[in-house]
Amino acid sequence: MTGRRAGRPTIQRRRSGIEVAEYIRSMIFDGTLAAGQRVPQDTIAADLGVSRLPVREALISLEADGLVASEPHRGTYVVPIRAEDIEDHYRIYGMAQGLAAAGAARRITEPVLERLEDLHARMAGSDDPELLHDLNWEFHSLINHTGASRRTLSVLRHLSRNLPREVYSLPAAASAEANEEHAAIVAALRAGDAREADRTNREHMQHEGDQVVAALKRSGVLSD
């Protein structure tokens, strides 16, 4: 377990429980830590050059997220991840983003619309996975910050941390389907149609969830 896989987040020398949680979360979703496996806290602490404290803090956070479970006097084990867990995550994400998009439709400005159109065009014309991830993230973040309430933004921040970046990068941000959905989202916002902005965001996130489930099934991460 000392060898880190490409794509797993690197952590600076001074590490917090949040950063260690991101590291362990990536280990779970890239299959390094399998369902039912005991989380080797000492090995992780040694690999990262930290004490046991941030590792314990990380496991408390991951248990709250439903990714691990602690058993008294036995340790902490990886919880099986099922397709419905990922499907529900993306449906909830879609609901929150739909609320934000509906709000954005009522107050969006021309400069923001132009920026969204530019991001959409750049996604449609790129095949760089890292760039596509960043453009897609900015596209949705701009909508969220334009229209979401503080409470909805809080929910979205939590959801964004609940899965690792590698998982959010699995859906094809420049696929024909994604390009059509991004165009529909922008059109709804430009028309000031809150209901359509909500609907298109929900459908878009559900389709992304379907892609993630399929990819995690192929990699053997899911338990069903």
Side-chain angles (χ1 to χ4, degrees), residues 148-216:
S149 67
R150 287 191 295 269
R151 173 53 56 190
T152 302
L153 280 176
S154 176
V155 171
L156 286 165
R157 279 193 296 269
H158 178 76
L159 289 168
S160 72
R161 293 191 295 264
N162 198 244
L163 297 178
R165 176 188 171 99
E166 307 93 272
V167 172
Y168 284 122
S169 297
L170 289 173
S175 68
E177 181 181 57
N179 286 331
E180 289 176 4
E181 290 168 353
H182 286 150
I185 290 169
V186 174
L189 293 172
R190 184 166 282 285
D193 190 335
R195 180 174 295 182
E196 183 66 5
D198 180 5
R199 185 191 68 79
T200 52
N201 268 273
R202 289 176 188 241
E203 287 188 358
H204 177 58
M205 293 307 294
Q206 182 174 339
H207 293 158
E208 285 202 353
D210 292 341
Q211 292 180 58
V212 170
V213 167
L216 293 178

Short mmCIF file of all heavy atoms in Angstrom, two decimals, residues 148-216:
data_model
loop_
_atom_site.label_atom_id
_atom_site.label_comp_id
_atom_site.label_asym_id
_atom_site.label_seq_id
_atom_site.Cartn_x
_atom_site.Cartn_y
_atom_site.Cartn_z
N ALA A 148 -27.90 29.82 -5.93
CA ALA A 148 -28.18 29.02 -4.73
C ALA A 148 -28.25 29.87 -3.47
O ALA A 148 -27.54 30.86 -3.34
CB ALA A 148 -27.11 27.94 -4.56
N SER A 149 -29.10 29.43 -2.56
CA SER A 149 -29.12 30.03 -1.22
C SER A 149 -27.90 29.54 -0.45
O SER A 149 -27.21 28.61 -0.86
CB SER A 149 -30.39 29.61 -0.48
OG SER A 149 -30.36 28.20 -0.22
N ARG A 150 -27.63 30.18 0.68
CA ARG A 150 -26.50 29.74 1.51
C ARG A 150 -26.68 28.28 1.95
O ARG A 150 -25.72 27.52 2.01
CB ARG A 150 -26.35 30.65 2.73
CG ARG A 150 -25.79 32.02 2.41
CD ARG A 150 -25.40 32.78 3.66
NE ARG A 150 -26.57 33.08 4.48
CZ ARG A 150 -27.28 34.19 4.38
NH1 ARG A 150 -26.96 35.09 3.46
NH2 ARG A 150 -28.30 34.41 5.17
N ARG A 151 -27.89 27.89 2.26
CA ARG A 151 -28.15 26.52 2.69
C ARG A 151 -27.89 25.54 1.55
O ARG A 151 -27.26 24.50 1.74
CB ARG A 151 -29.59 26.39 3.18
CG ARG A 151 -30.06 24.98 3.51
CD ARG A 151 -29.14 24.24 4.45
NE ARG A 151 -28.93 24.95 5.69
CZ ARG A 151 -28.02 24.62 6.60
NH1 ARG A 151 -27.23 23.58 6.38
NH2 ARG A 151 -27.88 25.31 7.70
N THR A 152 -28.36 25.88 0.35
CA THR A 152 -28.13 25.00 -0.79
C THR A 152 -26.64 24.91 -1.11
O THR A 152 -26.12 23.82 -1.42
CB THR A 152 -28.90 25.48 -2.02
OG1 THR A 152 -30.29 25.54 -1.71
CG2 THR A 152 -28.71 24.53 -3.20
N LEU A 153 -25.92 26.02 -1.03
CA LEU A 153 -24.48 25.99 -1.26
C LEU A 153 -23.77 25.11 -0.24
O LEU A 153 -22.82 24.39 -0.57
CB LEU A 153 -23.90 27.41 -1.21
CG LEU A 153 -24.07 28.26 -2.46
CD1 LEU A 153 -23.53 29.67 -2.21
CD2 LEU A 153 -23.37 27.63 -3.66
N SER A 154 -24.25 25.13 1.00
CA SER A 154 -23.66 24.27 2.03
C SER A 154 -23.84 22.80 1.67
O SER A 154 -22.92 21.99 1.81
CB SER A 154 -24.30 24.58 3.39
OG SER A 154 -23.82 23.70 4.38
N VAL A 155 -25.04 22.45 1.22
CA VAL A 155 -25.31 21.06 0.80
C VAL A 155 -24.42 20.68 -0.38
O VAL A 155 -23.83 19.60 -0.42
CB VAL A 155 -26.80 20.90 0.44
CG1 VAL A 155 -27.05 19.53 -0.20
CG2 VAL A 155 -27.67 21.07 1.68
N LEU A 156 -24.29 21.58 -1.35
CA LEU A 156 -23.47 21.30 -2.53
C LEU A 156 -22.01 21.12 -2.17
O LEU A 156 -21.32 20.26 -2.72
CB LEU A 156 -23.63 22.42 -3.55
CG LEU A 156 -24.97 22.43 -4.31
CD1 LEU A 156 -25.19 23.76 -5.01
CD2 LEU A 156 -25.03 21.28 -5.31
N ARG A 157 -21.51 21.92 -1.22
CA ARG A 157 -20.11 21.77 -0.79
C ARG A 157 -19.90 20.41 -0.17
O ARG A 157 -18.88 19.74 -0.42
CB ARG A 157 -19.73 22.88 0.18
CG ARG A 157 -19.37 24.20 -0.47
CD ARG A 157 -18.70 25.15 0.50
NE ARG A 157 -19.58 25.53 1.58
CZ ARG A 157 -20.38 26.60 1.56
NH1 ARG A 157 -20.41 27.37 0.48
NH2 ARG A 157 -21.15 26.90 2.58
N HIS A 158 -20.83 19.97 0.65
CA HIS A 158 -20.69 18.66 1.28
C HIS A 158 -20.72 17.55 0.22
O HIS A 158 -19.90 16.63 0.26
CB HIS A 158 -21.80 18.43 2.30
CG HIS A 158 -21.74 17.08 2.94
ND1 HIS A 158 -20.82 16.75 3.92
CD2 HIS A 158 -22.46 15.95 2.73
CE1 HIS A 158 -20.97 15.49 4.26
NE2 HIS A 158 -21.96 14.98 3.56
N LEU A 159 -21.65 17.64 -0.72
CA LEU A 159 -21.74 16.62 -1.76
C LEU A 159 -20.48 16.59 -2.61
O LEU A 159 -20.02 15.51 -3.02
CB LEU A 159 -22.96 16.89 -2.64
CG LEU A 159 -24.32 16.64 -1.98
CD1 LEU A 159 -25.44 17.21 -2.85
CD2 LEU A 159 -24.55 15.15 -1.76
N SER A 160 -19.89 17.75 -2.87
CA SER A 160 -18.70 17.80 -3.72
C SER A 160 -17.52 17.10 -3.06
O SER A 160 -16.62 16.61 -3.75
CB SER A 160 -18.33 19.25 -4.04
OG SER A 160 -17.80 19.91 -2.91
N ARG A 161 -17.51 17.04 -1.72
CA ARG A 161 -16.41 16.39 -1.01
C ARG A 161 -16.69 14.92 -0.74
O ARG A 161 -15.79 14.19 -0.31
CB ARG A 161 -16.15 17.11 0.32
CG ARG A 161 -15.61 18.52 0.18
CD ARG A 161 -15.12 19.05 1.52
NE ARG A 161 -16.20 19.20 2.48
CZ ARG A 161 -16.84 20.34 2.71
NH1 ARG A 161 -16.52 21.43 2.04
NH2 ARG A 161 -17.80 20.40 3.61
N ASN A 162 -17.90 14.48 -0.98
CA ASN A 162 -18.30 13.13 -0.59
C ASN A 162 -17.72 12.05 -1.50
O ASN A 162 -17.60 10.90 -1.11
CB ASN A 162 -19.83 13.03 -0.58
CG ASN A 162 -20.33 11.85 0.20
OD1 ASN A 162 -20.94 10.95 -0.35
ND2 ASN A 162 -20.07 11.83 1.51
N LEU A 163 -17.38 12.43 -2.73
CA LEU A 163 -16.72 11.53 -3.67
C LEU A 163 -15.41 12.17 -4.10
O LEU A 163 -15.30 13.40 -4.15
CB LEU A 163 -17.59 11.27 -4.90
CG LEU A 163 -18.93 10.57 -4.68
CD1 LEU A 163 -19.67 10.45 -6.01
CD2 LEU A 163 -18.75 9.21 -4.05
N PRO A 164 -14.39 11.38 -4.42
CA PRO A 164 -13.11 11.95 -4.84
C PRO A 164 -13.16 12.53 -6.26
O PRO A 164 -14.04 12.18 -7.05
CB PRO A 164 -12.14 10.77 -4.77
CG PRO A 164 -13.00 9.57 -4.94
CD PRO A 164 -14.33 9.91 -4.33
N ARG A 165 -12.21 13.40 -6.55
CA ARG A 165 -12.14 14.04 -7.87
C ARG A 165 -12.13 13.00 -8.99
O ARG A 165 -12.75 13.21 -10.03
CB ARG A 165 -10.87 14.90 -7.95
CG ARG A 165 -10.64 15.54 -9.33
CD ARG A 165 -9.29 16.21 -9.39
NE ARG A 165 -8.97 16.65 -10.75
CZ ARG A 165 -9.12 17.89 -11.19
NH1 ARG A 165 -9.59 18.82 -10.40
NH2 ARG A 165 -8.78 18.21 -12.43
N GLU A 166 -11.43 11.88 -8.77
CA GLU A 166 -11.33 10.87 -9.82
C GLU A 166 -12.71 10.35 -10.23
O GLU A 166 -12.94 10.04 -11.41
CB GLU A 166 -10.47 9.68 -9.36
CG GLU A 166 -9.10 10.06 -8.83
CD GLU A 166 -9.13 10.23 -7.33
OE1 GLU A 166 -9.42 11.37 -6.88
OE2 GLU A 166 -8.87 9.27 -6.61
N VAL A 167 -13.63 10.25 -9.26
CA VAL A 167 -14.98 9.78 -9.58
C VAL A 167 -15.75 10.85 -10.35
O VAL A 167 -16.42 10.55 -11.35
CB VAL A 167 -15.74 9.38 -8.30
CG1 VAL A 167 -17.21 9.07 -8.61
CG2 VAL A 167 -15.07 8.17 -7.65
N TYR A 168 -15.62 12.11 -9.91
CA TYR A 168 -16.33 13.18 -10.62
C TYR A 168 -15.78 13.38 -12.03
O TYR A 168 -16.45 13.98 -12.88
CB TYR A 168 -16.23 14.49 -9.83
CG TYR A 168 -17.15 14.53 -8.64
CD1 TYR A 168 -16.66 14.73 -7.35
CD2 TYR A 168 -18.53 14.36 -8.79
CE1 TYR A 168 -17.50 14.76 -6.26
CE2 TYR A 168 -19.39 14.40 -7.71
CZ TYR A 168 -18.87 14.60 -6.44
OH TYR A 168 -19.71 14.63 -5.35
N SER A 169 -14.58 12.86 -12.29
CA SER A 169 -14.00 12.98 -13.63
C SER A 169 -14.44 11.85 -14.56
O SER A 169 -14.13 11.88 -15.75
CB SER A 169 -12.46 12.98 -13.53
OG SER A 169 -12.00 14.10 -12.81
N LEU A 170 -15.14 10.85 -14.03
CA LEU A 170 -15.52 9.69 -14.86
C LEU A 170 -16.51 10.03 -15.98
O LEU A 170 -16.34 9.56 -17.10
CB LEU A 170 -16.09 8.58 -13.97
CG LEU A 170 -15.08 7.86 -13.07
CD1 LEU A 170 -15.80 6.89 -12.13
CD2 LEU A 170 -14.05 7.11 -13.91
N PRO A 171 -17.56 10.83 -15.72
CA PRO A 171 -18.49 11.14 -16.82
C PRO A 171 -17.78 11.93 -17.93
O PRO A 171 -16.92 12.77 -17.65
CB PRO A 171 -19.57 11.99 -16.16
CG PRO A 171 -19.49 11.64 -14.71
CD PRO A 171 -18.03 11.39 -14.45
N ALA A 172 -18.14 11.66 -19.17
CA ALA A 172 -17.52 12.35 -20.30
C ALA A 172 -18.12 13.74 -20.44
O ALA A 172 -19.23 13.91 -20.93
CB ALA A 172 -17.74 11.54 -21.57
N ALA A 173 -17.36 14.75 -20.00
CA ALA A 173 -17.88 16.12 -19.99
C ALA A 173 -18.08 16.69 -21.38
O ALA A 173 -18.79 17.68 -21.56
CB ALA A 173 -16.95 17.02 -19.19
N ALA A 174 -17.43 16.08 -22.39
CA ALA A 174 -17.55 16.59 -23.76
C ALA A 174 -18.28 15.62 -24.67
O ALA A 174 -18.19 15.73 -25.89
CB ALA A 174 -16.16 16.90 -24.32
N SER A 175 -19.01 14.66 -24.09
CA SER A 175 -19.78 13.74 -24.94
C SER A 175 -20.91 14.51 -25.62
O SER A 175 -21.28 15.61 -25.21
CB SER A 175 -20.36 12.61 -24.10
OG SER A 175 -21.37 13.12 -23.22
N ALA A 176 -21.45 13.92 -26.68
CA ALA A 176 -22.56 14.56 -27.39
C ALA A 176 -23.73 14.81 -26.43
O ALA A 176 -24.36 15.87 -26.48
CB ALA A 176 -23.00 13.69 -28.57
N GLU A 177 -24.00 13.83 -25.57
CA GLU A 177 -25.10 13.97 -24.61
C GLU A 177 -24.83 15.11 -23.64
O GLU A 177 -25.70 15.95 -23.39
CB GLU A 177 -25.29 12.66 -23.85
CG GLU A 177 -26.43 12.71 -22.84
CD GLU A 177 -26.58 11.40 -22.07
OE1 GLU A 177 -25.59 10.97 -21.43
OE2 GLU A 177 -27.67 10.81 -22.11
N ALA A 178 -23.61 15.17 -23.11
CA ALA A 178 -23.27 16.23 -22.14
C ALA A 178 -23.33 17.60 -22.81
O ALA A 178 -23.84 18.56 -22.22
CB ALA A 178 -21.89 15.98 -21.56
N ASN A 179 -22.84 17.70 -24.04
CA ASN A 179 -22.89 18.98 -24.75
C ASN A 179 -24.32 19.44 -24.97
O ASN A 179 -24.64 20.63 -24.81
CB ASN A 179 -22.15 18.87 -26.09
CG ASN A 179 -20.64 18.83 -25.92
OD1 ASN A 179 -20.10 19.39 -24.97
ND2 ASN A 179 -19.96 18.16 -26.84
N GLU A 180 -25.20 18.51 -25.34
CA GLU A 180 -26.60 18.86 -25.53
C GLU A 180 -27.24 19.31 -24.22
O GLU A 180 -28.03 20.27 -24.20
CB GLU A 180 -27.36 17.65 -26.09
CG GLU A 180 -27.02 17.31 -27.53
CD GLU A 180 -27.72 16.05 -28.01
OE1 GLU A 180 -28.54 15.50 -27.23
OE2 GLU A 180 -27.46 15.62 -29.14
N GLU A 181 -26.90 18.63 -23.14
CA GLU A 181 -27.49 18.98 -21.84
C GLU A 181 -26.97 20.33 -21.34
O GLU A 181 -27.74 21.13 -20.79
CB GLU A 181 -27.20 17.86 -20.83
CG GLU A 181 -27.99 16.59 -21.15
CD GLU A 181 -27.53 15.38 -20.36
OE1 GLU A 181 -26.50 15.47 -19.65
OE2 GLU A 181 -28.20 14.34 -20.46
N HIS A 182 -25.68 20.59 -21.53
CA HIS A 182 -25.14 21.90 -21.13
C HIS A 182 -25.80 23.01 -21.95
O HIS A 182 -26.13 24.07 -21.42
CB HIS A 182 -23.62 21.93 -21.32
CG HIS A 182 -22.88 21.15 -20.30
ND1 HIS A 182 -21.67 20.54 -20.55
CD2 HIS A 182 -23.15 20.88 -19.00
CE1 HIS A 182 -21.24 19.94 -19.46
NE2 HIS A 182 -22.13 20.12 -18.50
N ALA A 183 -25.99 22.75 -23.25
CA ALA A 183 -26.65 23.75 -24.10
C ALA A 183 -28.09 23.99 -23.62
O ALA A 183 -28.56 25.14 -23.60
CB ALA A 183 -26.65 23.28 -25.55
N ALA A 184 -28.78 22.93 -23.23
CA ALA A 184 -30.16 23.07 -22.75
C ALA A 184 -30.21 23.85 -21.44
O ALA A 184 -31.13 24.65 -21.21
CB ALA A 184 -30.79 21.69 -22.57
N ILE A 185 -29.22 23.63 -20.57
CA ILE A 185 -29.16 24.36 -19.31
C ILE A 185 -28.98 25.85 -19.58
O ILE A 185 -29.67 26.71 -19.01
CB ILE A 185 -28.03 23.82 -18.42
CG1 ILE A 185 -28.37 22.42 -17.91
CG2 ILE A 185 -27.76 24.76 -17.23
CD1 ILE A 185 -27.21 21.69 -17.26
N VAL A 186 -28.02 26.18 -20.46
CA VAL A 186 -27.77 27.59 -20.78
C VAL A 186 -29.01 28.22 -21.43
O VAL A 186 -29.38 29.37 -21.11
CB VAL A 186 -26.55 27.73 -21.70
CG1 VAL A 186 -26.38 29.18 -22.16
CG2 VAL A 186 -25.28 27.27 -20.98
N ALA A 187 -29.67 27.49 -22.32
CA ALA A 187 -30.87 28.01 -22.97
C ALA A 187 -31.97 28.32 -21.96
O ALA A 187 -32.65 29.35 -22.06
CB ALA A 187 -31.36 27.02 -24.03
N ALA A 188 -32.15 27.43 -20.99
CA ALA A 188 -33.17 27.65 -19.96
C ALA A 188 -32.83 28.88 -19.13
O ALA A 188 -33.72 29.67 -18.78
CB ALA A 188 -33.29 26.42 -19.08
N LEU A 189 -31.56 29.04 -18.81
CA LEU A 189 -31.14 30.20 -18.03
C LEU A 189 -31.32 31.49 -18.82
O LEU A 189 -31.79 32.50 -18.30
CB LEU A 189 -29.67 30.05 -17.60
CG LEU A 189 -29.39 28.93 -16.60
CD1 LEU A 189 -27.88 28.75 -16.41
CD2 LEU A 189 -30.06 29.20 -15.26
N ARG A 190 -30.96 31.45 -20.11
CA ARG A 190 -31.12 32.65 -20.94
C ARG A 190 -32.60 33.01 -21.10
O ARG A 190 -32.94 34.21 -21.18
CB ARG A 190 -30.45 32.43 -22.30
CG ARG A 190 -30.49 33.67 -23.18
CD ARG A 190 -29.57 33.58 -24.37
NE ARG A 190 -28.17 33.82 -24.04
CZ ARG A 190 -27.66 35.01 -23.77
NH1 ARG A 190 -28.43 36.09 -23.76
NH2 ARG A 190 -26.37 35.13 -23.52
N ALA A 191 -33.46 32.00 -21.12
CA ALA A 191 -34.90 32.25 -21.25
C ALA A 191 -35.53 32.66 -19.92
O ALA A 191 -36.71 33.02 -19.89
CB ALA A 191 -35.59 31.01 -21.81
N GLY A 192 -34.78 32.56 -18.84
CA GLY A 192 -35.34 32.87 -17.52
C GLY A 192 -36.36 31.85 -17.07
O GLY A 192 -37.24 32.17 -16.26
N ASP A 193 -36.24 30.61 -17.56
CA ASP A 193 -37.21 29.55 -17.27
C ASP A 193 -36.70 28.72 -16.09
O ASP A 193 -35.92 27.78 -16.27
CB ASP A 193 -37.39 28.67 -18.51
CG ASP A 193 -38.55 27.70 -18.37
OD1 ASP A 193 -38.92 27.35 -17.24
OD2 ASP A 193 -39.08 27.26 -19.43
N ALA A 194 -37.14 29.06 -14.90
CA ALA A 194 -36.66 28.40 -13.68
C ALA A 194 -37.02 26.92 -13.67
O ALA A 194 -36.20 26.08 -13.27
CB ALA A 194 -37.23 29.10 -12.44
N ARG A 195 -38.23 26.59 -14.07
CA ARG A 195 -38.66 25.18 -14.05
C ARG A 195 -37.81 24.34 -15.00
O ARG A 195 -37.39 23.24 -14.66
CB ARG A 195 -40.14 25.08 -14.43
CG ARG A 195 -40.66 23.65 -14.44
CD ARG A 195 -42.15 23.60 -14.68
NE ARG A 195 -42.88 24.21 -13.58
CZ ARG A 195 -44.21 24.27 -13.52
NH1 ARG A 195 -44.95 23.76 -14.49
NH2 ARG A 195 -44.80 24.85 -12.50
N GLU A 196 -37.53 24.86 -16.20
CA GLU A 196 -36.72 24.11 -17.16
C GLU A 196 -35.26 24.01 -16.72
O GLU A 196 -34.61 22.98 -16.91
CB GLU A 196 -36.81 24.77 -18.54
CG GLU A 196 -36.06 24.05 -19.64
CD GLU A 196 -36.64 22.69 -19.99
OE1 GLU A 196 -37.70 22.31 -19.44
OE2 GLU A 196 -36.02 21.99 -20.82
N ALA A 197 -34.76 25.07 -16.09
CA ALA A 197 -33.39 25.03 -15.57
C ALA A 197 -33.26 23.97 -14.49
O ALA A 197 -32.25 23.24 -14.44
CB ALA A 197 -33.00 26.41 -15.03
N ASP A 198 -34.26 23.87 -13.64
CA ASP A 198 -34.28 22.84 -12.60
C ASP A 198 -34.31 21.45 -13.25
O ASP A 198 -33.49 20.58 -12.92
CB ASP A 198 -35.51 23.07 -11.72
CG ASP A 198 -35.64 22.06 -10.59
OD1 ASP A 198 -34.74 21.22 -10.41
OD2 ASP A 198 -36.65 22.09 -9.88
N ARG A 199 -35.22 21.25 -14.18
CA ARG A 199 -35.39 19.93 -14.80
C ARG A 199 -34.13 19.49 -15.54
O ARG A 199 -33.69 18.33 -15.40
CB ARG A 199 -36.57 19.96 -15.78
CG ARG A 199 -36.90 18.59 -16.38
CD ARG A 199 -37.90 18.71 -17.53
NE ARG A 199 -37.32 19.39 -18.68
CZ ARG A 199 -36.51 18.80 -19.56
NH1 ARG A 199 -36.19 17.52 -19.42
NH2 ARG A 199 -36.04 19.48 -20.58
N THR A 200 -33.55 20.37 -16.34
CA THR A 200 -32.39 19.98 -17.13
C THR A 200 -31.19 19.65 -16.24
O THR A 200 -30.42 18.74 -16.56
CB THR A 200 -32.01 21.09 -18.14
OG1 THR A 200 -31.87 22.34 -17.45
CG2 THR A 200 -33.06 21.22 -19.22
N ASN A 201 -31.04 20.35 -15.14
CA ASN A 201 -29.94 20.04 -14.23
C ASN A 201 -30.14 18.69 -13.56
O ASN A 201 -29.19 17.91 -13.42
CB ASN A 201 -29.79 21.14 -13.17
CG ASN A 201 -28.82 22.21 -13.59
OD1 ASN A 201 -27.62 22.11 -13.37
ND2 ASN A 201 -29.34 23.25 -14.23
N ARG A 202 -31.37 18.41 -13.15
CA ARG A 202 -31.64 17.11 -12.52
C ARG A 202 -31.35 15.97 -13.49
O ARG A 202 -30.71 14.97 -13.13
CB ARG A 202 -33.09 17.04 -12.05
CG ARG A 202 -33.41 17.92 -10.85
CD ARG A 202 -34.90 17.84 -10.53
NE ARG A 202 -35.30 18.80 -9.52
CZ ARG A 202 -35.81 18.47 -8.34
NH1 ARG A 202 -35.98 17.19 -8.04
NH2 ARG A 202 -36.17 19.39 -7.48
N GLU A 203 -31.82 16.10 -14.71
CA GLU A 203 -31.59 15.05 -15.70
C GLU A 203 -30.11 14.90 -16.02
O GLU A 203 -29.60 13.78 -16.16
CB GLU A 203 -32.37 15.36 -16.98
CG GLU A 203 -33.87 15.17 -16.84
CD GLU A 203 -34.60 15.29 -18.17
OE1 GLU A 203 -33.92 15.56 -19.20
OE2 GLU A 203 -35.83 15.11 -18.19
N HIS A 204 -29.42 16.02 -16.12
CA HIS A 204 -27.99 15.99 -16.43
C HIS A 204 -27.22 15.23 -15.34
O HIS A 204 -26.38 14.37 -15.65
CB HIS A 204 -27.48 17.43 -16.54
CG HIS A 204 -26.01 17.54 -16.78
ND1 HIS A 204 -25.39 16.96 -17.86
CD2 HIS A 204 -25.03 18.18 -16.08
CE1 HIS A 204 -24.08 17.23 -17.82
NE2 HIS A 204 -23.85 17.96 -16.75
N MET A 205 -27.52 15.52 -14.08
CA MET A 205 -26.81 14.85 -13.00
C MET A 205 -27.19 13.37 -12.90
O MET A 205 -26.35 12.53 -12.56
CB MET A 205 -27.08 15.55 -11.67
CG MET A 205 -26.49 16.96 -11.58
SD MET A 205 -24.72 17.00 -11.96
CE MET A 205 -24.05 16.08 -10.59
N GLN A 206 -28.43 13.04 -13.22
CA GLN A 206 -28.82 11.63 -13.22
C GLN A 206 -28.04 10.86 -14.29
O GLN A 206 -27.58 9.74 -14.05
CB GLN A 206 -30.32 11.48 -13.45
CG GLN A 206 -30.78 10.02 -13.41
CD GLN A 206 -32.29 9.88 -13.50
OE1 GLN A 206 -33.03 10.80 -13.21
NE2 GLN A 206 -32.75 8.71 -13.91
N HIS A 207 -27.88 11.47 -15.46
CA HIS A 207 -27.13 10.81 -16.52
C HIS A 207 -25.66 10.65 -16.13
O HIS A 207 -25.03 9.63 -16.44
CB HIS A 207 -27.25 11.60 -17.82
CG HIS A 207 -28.64 11.60 -18.39
ND1 HIS A 207 -29.11 12.57 -19.27
CD2 HIS A 207 -29.69 10.76 -18.19
CE1 HIS A 207 -30.35 12.31 -19.59
NE2 HIS A 207 -30.74 11.22 -18.94
N GLU A 208 -25.10 11.67 -15.45
CA GLU A 208 -23.72 11.54 -14.98
C GLU A 208 -23.61 10.40 -13.97
O GLU A 208 -22.65 9.62 -14.00
CB GLU A 208 -23.24 12.85 -14.35
CG GLU A 208 -22.93 13.94 -15.34
CD GLU A 208 -21.99 14.99 -14.78
OE1 GLU A 208 -21.68 14.95 -13.56
OE2 GLU A 208 -21.57 15.87 -15.55
N GLY A 209 -24.59 10.29 -13.09
CA GLY A 209 -24.60 9.21 -12.11
C GLY A 209 -24.63 7.85 -12.78
O GLY A 209 -23.95 6.91 -12.34
N ASP A 210 -25.41 7.73 -13.85
CA ASP A 210 -25.48 6.46 -14.58
C ASP A 210 -24.11 6.08 -15.14
O ASP A 210 -23.71 4.92 -15.11
CB ASP A 210 -26.49 6.55 -15.72
CG ASP A 210 -27.93 6.67 -15.22
OD1 ASP A 210 -28.19 6.33 -14.06
OD2 ASP A 210 -28.79 7.12 -16.03
N GLN A 211 -23.39 7.07 -15.66
CA GLN A 211 -22.05 6.81 -16.20
C GLN A 211 -21.08 6.39 -15.10
O GLN A 211 -20.25 5.49 -15.30
CB GLN A 211 -21.51 8.06 -16.90
CG GLN A 211 -22.25 8.45 -18.16
CD GLN A 211 -21.66 9.69 -18.79
OE1 GLN A 211 -20.48 9.74 -19.13
NE2 GLN A 211 -22.47 10.73 -18.94
N VAL A 212 -21.18 7.04 -13.94
CA VAL A 212 -20.28 6.70 -12.84
C VAL A 212 -20.56 5.28 -12.34
O VAL A 212 -19.64 4.51 -12.09
CB VAL A 212 -20.43 7.72 -11.68
CG1 VAL A 212 -19.69 7.24 -10.44
CG2 VAL A 212 -19.90 9.08 -12.11
N VAL A 213 -21.83 4.92 -12.21
CA VAL A 213 -22.19 3.56 -11.77
C VAL A 213 -21.61 2.54 -12.74
O VAL A 213 -21.01 1.53 -12.33
CB VAL A 213 -23.71 3.41 -11.66
CG1 VAL A 213 -24.10 1.93 -11.52
CG2 VAL A 213 -24.24 4.19 -10.45
N ALA A 214 -21.77 2.78 -14.03
CA ALA A 214 -21.25 1.84 -15.04
C ALA A 214 -19.73 1.71 -14.94
O ALA A 214 -19.19 0.60 -15.01
CB ALA A 214 -21.65 2.30 -16.43
N ALA A 215 -19.04 2.83 -14.74
CA ALA A 215 -17.58 2.80 -14.66
C ALA A 215 -17.12 2.09 -13.40
O ALA A 215 -16.15 1.30 -13.44
CB ALA A 215 -17.03 4.23 -14.70
N LEU A 216 -17.77 2.33 -12.27
CA LEU A 216 -17.38 1.69 -11.02
C LEU A 216 -17.70 0.19 -11.04
O LEU A 216 -16.99 -0.60 -10.42
CB LEU A 216 -18.07 2.38 -9.83
CG LEU A 216 -17.62 3.82 -9.55
CD1 LEU A 216 -18.41 4.40 -8.39
CD2 LEU A 216 -16.13 3.90 -9.28
#
